[in-house]
Amino acid sequence: MQTFSIVVPLLGNTVSNDNTLASILQNRPDGCQIIVVHGPEYDDPHNLAEEGVELICVRRKPNLIRYLNHALEVSKGEFVGLVRPGVCLSDNWHNTVAEAFAHKSTGSVAPLLVSEKRQTQVVAAGVQKGMGFRRTVLGTGKSIRAFQKKTPQLYGPTTWVGFYRRELLNAIGRIDEQLDPFYLDLEIGLCLSTLGFGCQPCPDCIATIDRPNLVTREAFKPHGTSAQRAFCRHVLHVGTTANRIQSGFVRLLEFLASPFQMWKFRHAMQRSRAMRFRENDEIFSDDISVTARHFRRGTAPTPQRASGRKTDHNESAEFEEAGRDAKNLASEKRKLAMKQDSRRDGERAA
């Protein structure tokens, strides 16, 4: 039987928090792990700990990505669900989600999110990659019937409600907390796509939200820095040759459209800040491409979230293995760098 770990980051108001937790507790399957991540001001007024809920206190500034990173360190289920305050799960959600994960190439499952007051109208069906890695929310305003007839292609579920294979999240590792928090869903979707896994829309699994305007408002928030960083972090999606040309062209189009949509002007201006993260993004690009090669070869990659201290023996064994496999598993960019280093060493020796 599949097991679930449900992560609830308490970032919303008290009423929304209570409704979300009540729906999860009421409809949880056997063996379901519930993880609530909160700030130091939360004092567990409903004694959730007695209900078997695991509480994680994060004393740093509240941040959706930070909260998820902490929760994944203790998650144990085969699948991880992220449910934000204000969203309520319906009964039997776990069976429909498990069925959607039946295909091994499914990395994430996207339920339909509808308004609590108008449950025939879709608020969000998932996220897609727009031009220039812009985050695009699909399905807003459409009817459920339309989605049940023809499901769209998605990169992933929204951060409001979605489910993922835990082993894939562990393989990705800690997500950079300096990305825009609402870009988290597309960032995970891009990573899973690189690893060779897709998102399965699940129109039969319907979740409700009490304040749908929060979802639509978030869809138009400028996130130019995160989108521009994706050109470096997810270079396999665009190719190195087209990278600079496409990123420059996209920025120009956003400036041209800005008189009609002012958020696009701020979005375009933010893209210039991406250079400060260049080094870290290049390292991430290398790491995710190496992990993708492991999955393509059918070998288990070393989990990026491995807990516990490594022994000297394990460290030595991993070092030797890395030395043997470096040329076979490194990304094309890192291979080129190794060749250049070897050439320089040869020139110095000569």
Side-chain angles (χ1 to χ4, degrees):
M1 184 183 73
Q2 293 89 351
T3 55
F4 290 86
S5 294
I6 304 298
V7 177
V8 184
L10 295 189
L11 299 166
N13 62 57
T14 304
V15 175
S16 294
N17 293 343
D18 292 348
N19 292 340
T20 297
L21 289 168
S23 76
I24 294 172
L25 289 169
Q26 182 178 354
N27 299 307
R28 61 178 166 179
D30 294 338
C32 180
Q33 179 188 27
I34 302 174
I35 305 169
V36 171
V37 191
H38 60 86
E41 71 285 350
Y42 185 75
D43 59 358
D44 189 17
H46 303 293
N47 295 317
L48 294 174
E50 295 183 1
E51 295 285 340
V53 176
E54 299 180 32
L55 300 171
I56 299 177
C57 179
V58 179
R59 301 195 175 277
R60 295 173 63 193
K61 184 179 179 180
N63 177 291
L64 179 61
I65 300 177
R66 180 176 300 137
Y67 277 18
L68 179 61
N69 281 333
H70 277 80
L72 289 175
E73 292 177 357
V74 299
S75 63
K76 302 172 183 176
E78 183 179 356
F79 307 120
V80 174
L82 177 61
V83 183
R84 288 171 63 177
V87 175
C88 292
L89 297 178
S90 58
D91 59 349
N92 204 40
W93 62 264
H94 47 92
N95 287 328
T96 53
V97 171
E99 288 174 7
F101 272 115
H103 201 285
K104 295 298 182 182
S105 64
T106 299
S108 63
V109 168
L112 280 185
L113 185 61
V114 303
S115 171
E116 190 178 80
K117 295 180 180 178
R118 299 185 64 184
Q119 297 191 13
T120 59
Q121 192 174 69
V122 177
V123 176
V127 292
Q128 181 57 275
K129 174 176 72 70
M131 184 178 291
F133 288 99
R134 193 174 76 240
R135 175 183 182 265
T136 303
V137 178
L138 297 186
T140 305
K142 294 188 176 181
S143 68
I144 290 181
R145 184 178 299 176
F147 271 88
Q148 290 176 334
K149 287 183 178 179
K150 185 178 180 181
T151 54
Q153 288 188 335
L154 304 172
Y155 260 82
T158 67
T159 56
W160 290 93
V161 57
F163 298 87
Y164 307 89
R165 290 190 189 273
R166 182 173 62 87
E167 66 166 330
L168 300 181
L169 295 179
N170 286 342
I172 294 170
R174 290 184 67 85
I175 299 168
D176 192 336
E177 296 174 8
Q178 296 185 82
L179 291 166
D180 290 296
F182 51 89
Y183 198 79
L184 172 64
D185 42 26
L186 183 55
E187 171 67 15
I188 295 177
L190 290 166
C191 291
L192 295 183
S193 179
T194 299
L195 298 181
F197 295 85
C199 174
Q200 177 64 45
C202 191
D204 293 329
C205 181
I206 298 174
T208 62
I209 184 168
D210 57 358
R211 298 169 65 190
N213 61 307
L214 295 178
V215 181
T216 52
R217 191 187 309 163
E218 197 174 77
F220 292 99
K221 281 188 176 181
H223 51 278
T225 303
S226 297
Q228 189 67 19
R229 290 182 63 185
F231 276 101
C232 182
R233 293 173 66 83
H234 304 287
V235 68
L236 296 179
H237 290 261
V238 291
T240 52
T241 304
N243 201 318
R244 283 189 179 180
I245 298 173
Q246 185 178 356
S247 62
F249 180 68
V250 166
R251 194 174 182 187
L252 175 62
L253 288 180
E254 289 172 348
F255 275 122
L256 293 175
S258 61
F260 308 98
Q261 293 177 296
M262 281 305 297
W263 73 271
K264 285 190 176 180
F265 177 77
R266 295 193 297 272
H267 185 87
M269 291 296 293
Q270 289 174 357
R271 288 185 180 273
S272 60
R273 304 174 190 169
M275 283 302 296
R276 71 182 71 173
F277 304 102
R278 186 78 181 184
E279 184 176 353
N280 287 339
D281 291 341
E282 286 181 346
I283 292 172
F284 175 82
S285 177
D286 279 346
D287 290 342
I288 196 71
S289 63
V290 170
T291 303
R293 288 170 189 244
H294 275 294
F295 277 108
R296 284 198 296 270
R297 294 182 178 191
T299 59
T302 303
Q304 300 295 317
R305 299 180 191 276
S307 59
R309 182 176 177 82
K310 297 177 182 177
T311 63
D312 293 339
H313 173 74
N314 289 338
E315 287 182 342
S316 299
E318 289 183 9
F319 181 80
E320 290 178 9
E321 182 181 359
R324 289 194 302 270
D325 293 345
K327 293 183 179 179
N328 295 326
L329 295 179
S331 67
E332 297 302 322
K333 182 172 58 179
R334 191 166 284 180
K335 284 181 180 179
L336 179 60
M338 286 192 290
K339 287 180 181 179
Q340 291 173 342
D341 289 342
S342 298
R343 192 180 304 120
R344 290 195 202 98
D345 291 341
E347 290 173 354
R348 291 194 191 101

